Amino acid sequence: MRKLTLWQKMCRRESPQHYADKDGKLKAVLGKREMMAMGIGTVIGAGVFTMPGIVAAEYAGPAVVISFILAALIAGLAALAYAELASAMPFAGSVYSWANVIFGEFIGWLAGWAILAEYLIALALVSSAWSSYFQGFLSSFGFELPRFFQASVNLNQGTGFDLFGALSILLIGYLACCGLNNIARIENWLVIGKILVIILFILVGLTAVQVNNWVPFIPQHQPGTHFGGLSGILAGATQIFFAYIGFDTIAANSAEVKNPQKTMPQAIIGTLIIATALFVGVAAVLTGMFPYDRFLDNAEPAAWALRESGHLFTANLLSVVALVGMFSGLVALLIGGSRLIYSFGRDGLMPRKLAQLDQKGLPKAAIIVITIIAIILGAVFPISMLANLVSGGTLLAFIIAGMAVLRLRKRPDIVQHRFKMPWFPFLPILTVLTSVMLLCSLNMVAIYLMIGWLIIGALVYLLYGSRHT
């Protein structure tokens, strides 16, 4: 066999049939209900009870509602692109596998490497938030961990290892190793409970809304800051955009879905509609209950607003369900991330042992690896150091997805009679442009960190991946 040059390896495109054959060993056990639960569980995970208050106080005021709608519209474009790609190519690995087929090995690897950062950091962030809520819950009963085990490394506060954060990820890893049927059933009930309590918050909160708290709806822009006006709305949309990694979580499990050509578009688009409605409802009610500046540096604005309004029982119920909701987000993130690592091993870009399946048809090695890495990141590294990377990889993946749809229609080797993104090529191009716009709105620290992460990924490819694929 003729030896390929490095450039030829970087540009070679994977055969769709090859991926279909490889992923055929994964068991198709997930239906539309399970996939929507997984997507909604990720999108409205840790952020639904915290992000509306934070974004309102720091960026947009009551116009946080517009920030959520703007983020949803841009994410909706990406959702349509994901739906077409997942329908045409129901492979594990989502945007990584699609880019490998459409653009070639190196672009596919960089796309996968970017989204891997999203999974790892999102796992670390959510596990840390879950730990904080759980410790607060236990403190009401007089229980408190030794300071060293309360949070990740912070020399000023004397903390060094987030014990509860690590245990939460360890438990999720164990459940994932037990099989998707069991964990999907748990995820369904967790998400149903969370949606019911979000609706309860909206209904109860409406009784405390004062219309004057929404005036002015769009605060005046404060020069030299990101607060107020159109720039504040845009900055707010950028901050909450990372939540829509839920689309990738759905797509990453395409190979384990029953009837993916029909299920994937319905699950992705359904997730967007339901999650956006819940986000907007919480944001509108929250900013109507109290002036937006009251939520500054408030880690639990929704529960606080209910307590201050005299709804103590609902506030306590919401705090408990916030724990459940974050747990369901961890479930979806770990499963999606493990399937991405499985895909890397499947193609030889990481050790092939990561693609080995156990007797249950599960990539247990990939699950163990992402569990260990997430524990180290979430329990040891300061979250403030990781948070800046969150949205960059998601936006990069959405850009690649939009471009991939433009190329997909020209591929005769991929069946074209499945779900198609409407108004082609206008909407795919708009997907790319709007995602680039938000990407450029990130702060410079986030952009530099993302570039640094991509450089590390390129080195991993050159030193290992290109020699083993």
Side-chain angles (χ1 to χ4, degrees):
M1 182 181 292
R2 181 173 63 88
K3 187 176 181 180
L4 298 178
T5 65
L6 176 61
W7 178 252
Q8 288 172 324
K9 288 182 178 180
M10 292 171 68
C11 294
R12 64 181 170 184
R13 294 178 294 185
E14 183 59 87
S15 162
Q17 188 58 48
H18 193 202
Y19 273 161
D21 293 341
K22 285 182 177 180
D23 291 346
K25 298 176 183 178
L26 293 168
K27 294 183 179 179
V29 296
L30 301 174
K32 180 174 67 176
R33 184 173 59 186
E34 289 78 16
M35 296 307 289
M36 285 188 65
M38 194 174 293
I40 294 170
T42 307
V43 175
I44 57 171
V48 68
F49 296 124
T50 56
M51 291 305 294
I54 292 172
V55 173
E58 297 184 3
Y59 299 99
V64 62
V65 171
I66 302 178
S67 292
F68 275 110
I69 294 173
L70 178 61
L73 289 174
I74 297 174
L77 294 171
L80 293 173
Y82 263 65
E84 175 166 346
L85 293 166
S87 174
M89 297 178 284
F91 312 137
S94 67
V95 72
Y96 157 72
S97 296
W98 304 332
N100 226 325
V101 171
I102 300 294
F103 299 113
E105 185 173 280
F106 184 65
I107 297 298
W109 165 254
L110 286 184
W113 185 255
I115 210 69
L116 177 62
E118 301 302 290
Y119 278 114
L120 292 173
I121 295 168
L123 276 167
L125 288 170
V126 177
S127 67
S128 177
W130 188 90
S131 176
S132 297
Y133 266 81
F134 191 53
Q135 289 182 61
F137 176 73
L138 292 179
S139 67
S140 63
F141 299 98
F143 178 84
E144 186 173 338
L145 281 173
R147 179 164 291 276
F148 182 83
F149 294 107
Q150 290 180 6
S152 57
V153 175
N154 188 318
L155 298 179
N156 294 328
Q157 297 182 5
T159 57
F161 187 83
D162 190 343
L163 180 61
F164 284 143
L167 290 176
S168 67
I169 295 178
L170 191 63
L171 177 58
I172 296 297
Y174 170 76
L175 291 173
C177 287
C178 290
L180 281 189
N181 271 330
N182 296 327
I183 202 167
R185 194 176 300 116
I186 294 172
E187 181 79 349
N188 285 344
W189 285 109
L190 291 177
V191 170
I192 290 170
K194 180 164 56 177
I195 290 175
L196 290 176
V197 172
I198 291 173
I199 294 173
L200 178 63
F201 167 79
I202 294 172
L203 294 176
V204 173
L206 279 172
T207 65
V209 165
Q210 299 181 39
V211 177
N212 60 305
N213 288 329
W214 288 328
V215 180
F217 189 72
I218 303 177
Q220 187 174 357
H221 176 62
Q222 296 179 5
T225 72
H226 290 292
F227 180 83
L230 181 59
S231 61
I233 292 172
L234 184 60
T238 304
Q239 291 296 313
I240 59 183
F241 202 79
F242 79 92
Y244 291 103
I245 193 177
F247 301 147
D248 196 88
T249 303
I250 295 174
N253 293 275
S254 298
E256 295 160 275
V257 174
K258 294 177 285 189
N259 191 13
Q261 289 74 31
K262 181 179 180 180
T263 300
M264 295 307 295
Q266 291 178 345
I268 291 171
I269 296 170
T271 292
L272 172 73
I273 294 171
I274 294 173
T276 301
L278 294 174
F279 265 131
V280 168
V282 170
V285 169
L286 196 61
T287 54
M289 293 175 72
F290 290 94
Y292 60 83
D293 56 1
R294 298 284 298 277
F295 302 121
L296 187 65
D297 297 325
N298 191 330
E300 47 165 4
W304 174 86
L306 287 173
R307 284 195 296 268
E308 291 293 308
S309 302
H311 301 288
L312 188 60
F313 173 78
T314 307
N316 292 334
L317 178 63
L318 186 144
S319 295
V320 172
V321 172
L323 286 169
V324 175
M326 284 184 260
F327 197 80
S328 70
L330 287 172
V331 169
L333 287 167
L334 192 135
I335 292 176
S338 67
R339 272 37 176 190
L340 179 59
I341 291 178
Y342 155 84
S343 303
F344 292 159
R346 174 195 63 191
D347 296 341
L349 291 165
M350 284 185 173
R352 293 187 185 275
K353 185 175 178 62
L354 295 173
Q356 291 179 2
L357 305 179
D358 64 9
Q359 64 272 19
K360 299 177 182 177
L362 297 169
K364 186 170 288 185
I367 293 171
I368 292 171
V369 166
I370 195 170
T371 299
I372 292 172
I373 296 174
I375 287 174
I376 293 172
L377 285 176
V380 178
F381 284 87
I383 296 301
S384 58
M385 187 177 78
L386 302 172
N388 275 311
L389 264 173
V390 170
S391 289
T394 304
L395 288 166
L396 187 61
F398 287 0
I399 292 168
I400 292 174
M403 295 172 65
V405 171
L406 293 171
R407 298 284 296 274
L408 175 66
R409 304 285 180 95
K410 301 177 182 179
R411 290 289 295 271
D413 58 328
I414 301 174
V415 178
Q416 299 291 315
H417 64 267
R418 300 177 172 104
F419 176 88
K420 291 187 178 182
M421 193 173 184
W423 297 346
F424 182 89
F426 173 71
L427 285 190
I429 293 173
L430 190 60
T431 302
V432 174
L433 294 178
T434 52
S435 297
V436 168
M437 176 188 70
L438 282 188
L439 188 65
C440 294
S441 298
L442 293 173
N443 63 59
M444 292 309 298
V445 173
I447 292 174
Y448 288 143
L449 284 173
M450 186 181 68
I451 292 172
W453 177 254
L454 292 177
I455 291 173
I456 293 172
L459 291 174
V460 170
Y461 175 83
L462 294 174
L463 298 176
Y464 182 89
S466 64
R467 301 181 181 186
H468 294 84
T469 54

